[in-house]
Amino acid sequence: MSIGKRVRLERLINRDTGKTVLVPMDHGVSSGPMKGIVNLKETVQKIAEGGANAIILHKGMVEAGHRGKGKDLGLIIHMSASTDLSLRKNDKVLVCTVEEAIKLGADGVSIHVNIGAEDEKQMLKDFGEVSKKCLEWQMPLLAMMYYRGPEVKNPYDPKAIAHIARIAAELGADIVKVPYTGDPESFREVVEGCPVPVVIAGGPKVDSDEALLKMVYDAVVVAGCAGLSIGRNIFQHDNVPLITSVLAKIVHEGISVEEALNFMKNVA
């Protein structure tokens, strides 16, 4: 790994803890404007105040999210897209290049691959091409891996999640994002089977802060994953800086769920 890639990775992953808090806000392409990403600059400021390591945006939103002041944040530019309006929304296409991301000041790029989708083979081919370019430019690559498709019965199946995480590592990802399997025992097997850092996806908006904190604690502290990549459960929270801060404390300091809830209560 060159010094350039090491420097970029340290903008995305805390160099002391080896863990990360990533906040994806690429939802505007798939789902349109929604609470939390309408005024992107304002939300990015709150996320930065809370101590996130990096944000994930589509290329056209870099200007909208750039503040020019305040605490710095790493920037990952997302390269994949599909929309909820499509009849085949699981089929992702590339809408950006590594070279474009470099010109926009990115510290890393990300792609989305749905294993089990009808267009899986094209997404894997795209993965290979992006990985090749990332190697050429020494650009960190985050692979968002999901088990989704017409024949998929359980998108959280532990064996399938372990498999898709390994696929990402095999094809050259530096960080792998996968859904949480539901319990730390099975998720530990996912982490152990993947030789690069694994982070958990947030999924649909949860019913309570406690449920979110427990999921992150179990995945990071108990199962040993490298952190989180959570969007709506952060940027749509009623107190974005606070939820970002307490999640960062779990990820980087390993505080318990009880300590996290007390922290939120005392700060609020």
Side-chain angles (χ1 to χ4, degrees), residues 98-233:
V98 174
E99 290 85 355
E100 283 179 285
I102 292 171
K103 292 175 184 178
L104 289 166
D107 302 303
V109 295
S110 62
I111 58 171
H112 182 137
V113 176
N114 289 319
I115 299 298
E118 292 174 302
D119 210 19
E120 174 191 307
K121 64 180 181 180
Q122 182 61 49
M123 286 182 276
L124 289 175
K125 182 179 179 181
D126 290 342
F127 192 154
E129 289 300 316
V130 171
S131 178
K132 177 183 176 181
K133 282 293 183 181
C134 285
L135 181 62
E136 178 182 346
W137 291 105
Q138 289 294 290
M139 176 65 83
L141 173 58
L142 164 66
M144 303 181 183
M145 306 295 292
Y146 292 88
Y147 181 43
R148 295 174 177 170
E151 302 299 321
V152 172
K153 301 296 190 294
N154 177 12
Y156 306 100
D157 176 73
K159 288 186 177 180
I161 300 302
H163 188 174
I164 65 173
R166 185 57 180 247
I167 290 171
E170 296 269 353
L171 295 183
D174 298 290
I175 307 170
V176 181
K177 171 180 176 177
V178 293
Y180 184 54
T181 55
D183 64 87
E185 291 75 22
S186 64
F187 200 67
R188 185 181 293 112
E189 295 182 8
V190 175
V191 174
E192 291 174 349
C194 185
V196 299
V198 175
V199 298
I200 60 165
K205 201 165 188 308
V206 296
D207 295 331
S208 69
D209 290 337
E210 185 173 1
L212 175 63
L213 299 177
K214 179 170 172 43
M215 178 180 71
V216 172
Y217 180 86
D218 285 348
V220 177
V221 180
V222 182
C225 85
L228 58 87
S229 176
I230 290 178
R232 284 165 292 181
N233 284 304

Side-chain angles (χ1 to χ4, degrees), residues 8-14 19-26 43-44 47-57 67 71-77 105-110 140 142 144 175 177 199 228-231 234-235 244 248 252:
R8 292 184 181 103
L9 275 172
E10 287 177 7
R11 295 188 187 126
L12 306 178
I13 299 176
N14 184 297
K19 297 187 183 298
T20 188
V21 173
L22 307 176
V23 184
M25 291 184 284
D26 56 296
T43 303
V44 170
I47 288 167
E49 290 172 8
N53 294 93
I55 55 174
I56 303 170
L57 301 175
R67 297 159 295 138
K71 188 175 181 181
D72 199 14
L73 274 173
L75 172 64
I76 297 172
I77 293 183
D107 302 303
V109 295
S110 62
L142 164 66
M144 303 181 183
I175 307 170
K177 171 180 176 177
V199 298
L228 58 87
S229 176
I230 290 178
I234 291 180
F235 68 68
T244 306
H252 295 301

Side-chain angles (χ1 to χ4, degrees), residues 27-50:
H27 302 63
V29 169
S30 58
S31 303
M34 61 173 64
K35 176 187 175 183
I37 60 170
V38 173
N39 187 332
L40 197 60
K41 200 181 298 285
E42 179 181 286
T43 303
V44 170
Q45 178 62 31
K46 292 176 180 179
I47 288 167
E49 290 172 8

